[in-house]
Amino acid sequence: MELIITEKDNAARRIADILSGGTYDSSRENGVNVYEWGGKRCVGLSGHVVGVDFPPEYSDWRDVEPVELIDASVEKTPTKENIVATLRLLARRAERVTIATDYDREGELIGKEAYDIVRNVDEDVPIRRVRFSSITENEVQGAFDEPDDLDFDLAAAGEARQIIDLIWGAALTRFLSLSAGQLGEDFISVGRVQSPTLKLIVDREREIEAFDPEDYWELFADLQKDETSFEAQYFYRDEDDNEAERVWEEAVADEVYETLAERDAATVVDVNRRTRTDTPPTPFNTTQFIRAASSLGYSAKRAMSIAEDLYTAGYITYPRTDNTVYPDDLDPEELLDDFVGHNTLGESAESLLEADEITPTEGDEETTDHPPIHPTGEIPSRGDISDDEWEIFELVVRRFFATVAEAAVWEHLKVVAEVDNYRLKANGKHLVEPGYHDVYPYFSTSENYVPDVDEGEELSLSDVELEAKETQPPRRYGQSRLIETMEDLGIGTKSTRHDILEKLYDRGYVESDPPRPTRLAMAVVEAAEDYADRVVSEEMTAQLEADMDAIASGEATLDDVTDESREMLEEIFANLAESRDEIGDQLRKSLKDDKRLGPCPECGEDLLVRRSRHGSYFVGCDGYPDCEFTLPLPSTGKPLIMEETCDEHELHHVKMLAGRQTFVHGCPLCKAEDAGEGPIIGDCPECGEDSATTESSRDEGGELAIKTLQSGSRLVGCTRYPDCEYSLPLPRRGDIEVTDEYCDEHDLPELVVHSGDEPWELGCPICNYQEFQARESESGSDLEAIEGIGAKTVEKLADAGIEDLDDLTAADPDAVAEDVDGVSADRVRTWQAKA
């Protein structure tokens, strides 16, 4: 029997389908899918099934000094014991083993881990390696026809990264967390790549905070030829003889304005026409793909998760690549032919095939591992993938189309007119040849019309405007721009950069989008700069990345690099140890700053966002136990303290972060004061006048009322609560209208929610809830009853061994986040609270 090992289950299923011609059978071993056909078995791992960690005697944070971790031994232990057990079982029966993990440093290491597991079972079984950049029939068949050996140097580079990241992360994380007294789930995380990335974000925030705006003025006027009016702007020549539009002295701006406003005509003194060639974009590498997906509204993590799913399904090539040059064996015409006749993409492909010659663009980076990201020629139907997946697939296809399209041509016309030595300019542009824009509609093609004029011609002048403005601070890094900057500085790799950003969100270091650092983030970076600046130095991280490249090329060994890294960390700890108390004080203050809402209405101390031992959030007084004032917060999401404050209570507003269900809660005290019962809408079906209950219950006469809770939640509930707990959920936002239309079955009025442009006809609250329950019942998984979990996520959770609510509540959130693409630990905790 031949055993084939892939990186994930969906890749195993896809490869089994290709190699078996669709005839494979599937079974389960230890909860792991095994695909079998013709004497072959294929099993998917779940990424790394073996992890590096310190021996158990180092696990107690309070008994082990962080500095001791630097020279501690590192051992490998199974992290997915059921998969490891299945691999061992199948390896005992194997006559040959083929490793088919992803073709990159991480994939090589995962393959090496599988190699070691197999070798522990059988020292003699032949083990071979196959590599491919897309999971298509041709490429997979070709890879299996020409197998290779594992690249042990490349795997060692990945292992060095694991070991160094463990030692740096664990030692520094424990030191800072213990110094601040911040243990448990709220520990202070530090990482070799994470910390320099965080410094980039913090440095930009410092620039914004330190920015001192300057006043300036700009002047505009309308010029007109015949019936055509167009806008022109005042400009002058600065000291360097450059055209400048900003006027820095108000008196000068007023003088120009008064002169222009007094005139009704301007004379054309210069007309300049030119044609510009707009070159098509280069092929997608990972960073440029993330940038393009970001313009469509996708986070870096989400974009890569979708791309990986499309790769595994065989629709696009491997999405982790630095390459921007297509390989010689890629035939653009053949690939375009695959799209001819498609109802969405076919017309563009056919137009490109009409060209006399098709020559793709090339970028500056050419590597030999993976090609740029491009379609494989296999096209999913719209029913096979989600709307998001189709949008990303079409983006990749159209980027390929753009790279083999003609250049666009723009015609520019610049007109300069003069009034008493003051000059106005108007810039027009017209798209003469759309070229690649016809097949790649993601770049702006907006035009600006300026009519043809001649020098010496007189134009009407009107509507002169003087606009007072201020210089603006630099903008925060968007996710894609941050990843580009990391790439430029050598921080992280194409495979890790988007994950690093996600960790910063998960650890509470950044919030909002574009990412803004919390007070804790500022304090961690400041402490590192003051006492151990190499922790946040991009030079140090870039050097270690270069060292790992040296391991991959055989120029250095794993021990050389890890020993050098340990020595570097020992020097850092020598400085940190002397300042432990100061660092702790600094971090504790910042942790409190991040949670501060405003003054307590009872004692004047600070109100802070706190977390109960059950994981839910609430507002509590810093004066506890002397002051026991509290306010509830919604059970959905993680609270984010906003800059906006309540005029009445001086408390910061709160936003609840819950993925697509994110909402603004507002001032917690206002919400608490707004709580109470609204209008009565009918009898309670459990204890009201018409319910089939006891006489004593009928005497109580329970009724249904629209209620608002202190947490901001709304519901239809019985007026006899807590004696009767009957309730039905209502939307949190929008004005609720009680109509005159009644439900024939339940004798309750129909409700309409007014939120946004279109009213939501909720109808009878009982009927509405019954319909919701029916939909959830038909979905086939009780997990889908949890808000935020859809069918695709259910599939991903099942691959990670989570098949029902019991599995979900018992799972380790961090482990789930590691296994399931696009799901953070905080989201898992939110789901667990709802479950």
Side-chain angles (χ1 to χ4, degrees):
M1 181 265 290
E2 178 182 2
L3 172 61
I4 300 169
I5 304 169
T6 71
E7 195 158 318
K8 293 182 179 178
D9 174 69
N10 49 7
R13 184 167 57 247
R14 171 76 178 158
I15 288 173
D17 187 56
I18 290 171
L19 295 181
S20 72
T23 63
Y24 68 86
D25 293 319
S26 61
S27 60
R28 300 271 283 179
E29 292 277 2
N30 301 313
V32 179
N33 291 325
V34 179
Y35 306 96
E36 182 176 4
W37 72 98
K40 301 179 189 292
R41 290 191 179 183
C42 187
V43 62
L45 307 176
S46 180
H48 291 284
V49 296
V50 174
V52 294
D53 205 347
F54 300 108
E57 58 265 28
Y58 291 92
S59 61
D60 193 323
W61 287 32
R62 290 181 175 84
D63 286 348
V64 177
E65 282 295 318
V67 69
E68 295 178 47
L69 298 177
I70 298 175
D71 292 318
S73 60
V74 174
E75 58 187 25
K76 294 185 178 182
T77 56
T79 54
K80 308 286 190 307
E81 294 191 2
N82 63 324
I83 298 178
V84 172
T86 300
L87 208 54
R88 287 172 175 158
L89 178 68
L90 295 173
R92 290 190 185 98
R93 310 172 196 163
E95 297 168 354
R96 183 172 71 183
V97 174
T98 300
I99 293 173
T101 49
D102 290 345
Y103 180 21
D104 60 8
R105 183 181 295 172
E106 205 71 13
E108 209 71 19
L109 176 57
I110 292 169
K112 169 64 163 48
E113 292 164 0
Y115 175 96
D116 290 338
I117 292 169
V118 172
R119 277 283 171 258
N120 286 335
V121 173
D122 189 333
E123 295 181 357
D124 300 319
V125 63
I127 301 177
R128 60 182 191 161
R129 172 77 159 109
V130 295
R131 299 182 178 89
F132 39 80
S133 292
S134 63
I135 309 184
T136 58
E137 185 170 347
N138 286 342
E139 193 151 351
V140 169
Q141 292 282 13
F144 275 80
D145 289 342
E146 298 182 11
D148 200 351
D149 295 323
L150 262 173
D151 186 335
F152 289 96
D153 288 335
L154 188 62
E159 189 172 352
R161 180 189 304 282
Q162 273 190 332
I163 294 170
I164 291 170
D165 286 352
L166 170 69
I167 296 170
W168 277 72
L172 291 168
T173 292
R174 289 196 193 185
F175 177 85
L176 292 185
S177 299
L178 288 166
S179 299
Q182 196 74 10
L183 304 180
E185 288 188 356
D186 295 324
F187 65 88
I188 299 173
S189 173
V190 185
R192 181 184 62 83
V193 181
Q194 175 182 302
S195 298
T197 305
L198 187 59
K199 178 171 164 55
L200 285 175
I201 299 171
V202 168
D203 282 346
R204 178 54 56 89
E205 197 68 19
R206 289 167 172 166
E207 290 179 46
I208 294 171
E209 291 177 353
F211 183 79
D212 185 14
E214 291 184 69
D215 294 327
Y216 69 93
W217 292 263
E218 290 183 334
L219 294 101
F220 301 88
D222 284 349
L223 298 177
Q224 185 171 333
K225 176 182 179 178
D226 299 329
E227 299 300 319
T228 303
S229 179
F230 55 99
E231 186 178 73
Q233 183 173 12
Y234 166 73
F235 76 98
Y236 61 95
R237 292 285 177 180
D238 63 15
E239 295 175 355
D240 299 319
D241 200 34
N242 296 317
E243 290 185 2
E245 295 91 18
R246 295 180 176 183
V247 180
W248 299 100
E249 296 180 30
E250 186 174 11
V252 173
D254 288 339
E255 180 183 327
V256 176
Y257 173 76
E258 289 171 6
T259 301
L260 295 177
E262 290 172 355
R263 303 294 189 270
D264 57 10
T267 304
V268 176
V269 295
D270 186 41
V271 178
N272 182 275
R273 294 178 179 85
R274 66 184 178 89
T275 299
R276 179 177 65 86
T277 299
D278 180 2
T279 306
T282 57
F284 268 152
N285 62 8
T286 300
T287 301
Q288 291 306 311
F289 162 72
I290 288 173
R291 181 179 185 180
S294 172
S295 70
L296 299 179
Y298 292 91
S299 69
K301 178 76 171 179
R302 178 68 176 147
M304 287 303 295
S305 175
I306 293 174
E308 285 161 9
D309 286 344
L310 293 172
Y311 157 72
T312 304
Y315 301 129
I316 68 172
T317 56
Y318 193 58
R320 301 175 188 268
T321 177
D322 291 324
N323 202 349
T324 55
V325 179
Y326 292 130
D328 292 337
D329 59 359
L330 175 71
D331 186 336
E333 291 188 39
E334 186 178 313
L335 188 49
L336 287 171
D337 272 331
D338 291 328
F339 292 93
V340 171
H342 188 269
N343 59 352
T344 302
L345 303 166
E347 186 176 340
S348 295
E350 290 164 20
S351 69
L352 292 170
L353 285 167
E354 293 174 0
D356 294 334
E357 184 178 352
I358 297 177
T359 304
T361 59
E362 295 183 355
D364 296 330
E365 192 72 28
E366 184 172 12
T367 61
T368 57
D369 51 356
H370 293 288
I373 306 168
H374 65 78
T376 62
E378 296 196 23
I379 310 172
S381 69
R382 293 299 294 267
D384 291 338
I385 58 177
S386 69
D387 289 344
D388 286 355
E389 288 171 328
W390 176 263
E391 190 169 29
I392 292 297
F393 174 71
E394 185 172 358
L395 172 67
V396 172
V397 173
R398 292 197 173 280
R399 182 62 164 229
F400 166 70
F401 285 177
T403 63
V404 297
E406 297 289 337
V409 178
W410 291 86
E411 189 177 81
H412 292 259
L413 172 62
K414 180 181 178 182
V415 173
V416 178
E418 191 173 73
V419 179
D420 289 2
N421 295 322
Y422 294 135
R423 293 196 162 194
L424 298 163
K425 65 178 178 180
N427 290 302
K429 64 175 184 175
H430 170 59
L431 186 60
V432 180
E433 295 289 344
Y436 75 90
H437 291 290
D438 269 347
V439 296
Y440 193 72
Y442 305 102
F443 293 161
S444 173
T445 54
S446 60
E447 299 182 332
N448 185 41
Y449 179 71
V450 171
D452 278 330
V453 296
D454 297 317
E455 287 187 25
E457 188 171 348
E458 193 169 273
L459 304 174
S460 297
L461 173 66
S462 62
D463 295 331
V464 179
E465 292 185 6
L466 174 62
E467 296 184 5
K469 298 183 178 182
E470 283 186 340
T471 54
Q472 297 298 308
R475 290 187 296 177
R476 294 187 178 103
Y477 289 110
Q479 292 193 23
S480 61
R481 183 70 186 108
L482 180 62
I483 287 172
E484 286 185 75
T485 305
M486 292 169 68
E487 181 180 35
D488 292 342
L489 296 174
I491 299 174
T493 68
K494 58 183 179 291
S495 301
T496 62
R497 291 182 188 113
H498 63 282
D499 288 324
I500 291 298
L501 182 54
E502 191 72 11
K503 284 182 180 178
L504 294 179
Y505 278 106
D506 286 344
R507 299 305 186 200
Y509 283 138
V510 297
E511 57 199 18
S512 303
D513 190 15
R516 174 168 64 92
T518 60
R519 292 307 311 167
L520 173 61
M522 305 285 276
V524 167
V525 171
E526 286 167 10
E529 289 173 330
D530 290 344
Y531 306 109
D533 61 347
R534 295 180 82 179
V535 172
V536 290
S537 163
E538 71 267 14
E539 288 86 359
M540 177 273 296
T541 296
Q543 179 58 48
L544 284 173
E545 296 292 347
D547 289 343
M548 283 180 270
D549 288 340
I551 296 175
S553 63
E555 298 171 9
T557 67
L558 182 151
D559 289 340
D560 291 338
V561 172
T562 53
D563 287 348
E564 179 185 346
S565 181
R566 283 187 168 99
E567 291 172 7
M568 195 184 301
L569 192 53
E570 283 175 348
E571 293 175 15
I572 289 171
F573 262 84
N575 296 325
L576 285 175
E578 299 173 0
S579 310
R580 188 167 191 157
D581 292 340
E582 294 94 324
I583 293 171
D585 290 342
Q586 192 172 338
L587 294 175
R588 278 190 292 271
K589 178 181 180 300
S590 296
L591 283 164
K592 186 175 288 188
D593 287 343
D594 268 340
K595 299 171 183 176
R596 185 177 288 110
L597 278 174
C600 172
E602 291 194 357
C603 73
E605 291 283 340
D606 288 323
L607 287 182
L608 306 175
V609 171
R610 298 188 182 278
R611 195 171 190 176
S612 74
R613 58 186 173 185
H614 303 296
S616 59
Y617 294 95
F618 69 98
V619 175
C621 182
D622 198 29
Y624 180 85
D626 296 329
C627 178
E628 297 184 351
F629 182 82
T630 61
L631 292 169
L633 288 174
S635 58
T636 299
K638 179 179 179 180
L640 167 66
I641 298 175
M642 304 175 69
E643 294 182 7
E644 183 181 356
T645 57
C646 171
D647 293 335
E648 182 179 354
H649 303 114
E650 299 180 10
L651 298 184
H652 285 274
H653 285 196
V654 174
K655 177 187 283 189
M656 302 304 297
L657 303 178
R660 294 184 180 181
Q661 284 74 46
T662 292
F663 60 93
V664 175
H665 177 62
C667 168
L669 189 49
C670 286
K671 292 295 183 184
E673 291 176 351
D674 291 342
E677 287 189 3
I680 303 294
I681 63 171
D683 290 335
C684 174
E686 287 198 358
C687 70
E689 292 292 341
D690 296 327
S691 62
T693 56
T694 64
E695 285 296 328
S696 61
S697 293
R698 291 193 191 116
D699 292 341
E700 295 292 341
E703 295 177 302
L704 292 182
I706 294 177
K707 298 183 177 184
T708 301
L709 306 184
Q710 287 193 351
S711 65
S713 296
R714 298 190 297 190
L715 52 83
V716 170
C718 183
T719 54
R720 293 185 55 249
Y721 178 86
D723 295 324
C724 176
E725 296 185 349
Y726 183 83
S727 67
L728 300 163
L730 287 175
R732 177 180 292 273
R733 284 158 288 181
D735 296 327
I736 298 175
E737 176 191 356
V738 181
T739 72
D740 295 330
E741 300 291 328
Y742 272 73
C743 172
D744 294 334
E745 181 179 357
H746 302 109
D747 196 31
L748 291 178
E750 296 187 358
L751 306 180
V752 175
V753 181
H754 296 277
S755 177
D757 296 332
E758 294 292 329
W760 174 13
E761 296 184 0
L762 194 69
C764 165
I766 295 179
C767 291
N768 179 272
Y769 188 62
Q770 288 174 344
E771 290 170 7
F772 167 76
Q773 289 180 310
R775 287 195 304 270
E776 296 304 319
S777 175
E778 291 171 2
S779 70
S781 170
D782 59 356
L783 289 170
E784 288 190 59
I786 302 294
E787 186 179 13
I789 299 182
K792 294 288 287 185
T793 305
V794 166
E795 291 180 17
K796 292 182 178 182
L797 290 172
D799 289 341
I802 298 173
E803 298 182 347
D804 53 35
L805 291 178
D806 290 338
D807 292 340
L808 178 63
T809 53
D812 175 7
D814 291 316
V816 175
E818 185 178 330
D819 290 345
V820 182
D821 290 334
V823 172
S824 69
D826 279 337
R827 285 182 68 191
V828 176
R829 293 186 185 98
T830 299
W831 293 340
Q832 289 175 328
K834 292 177 181 177

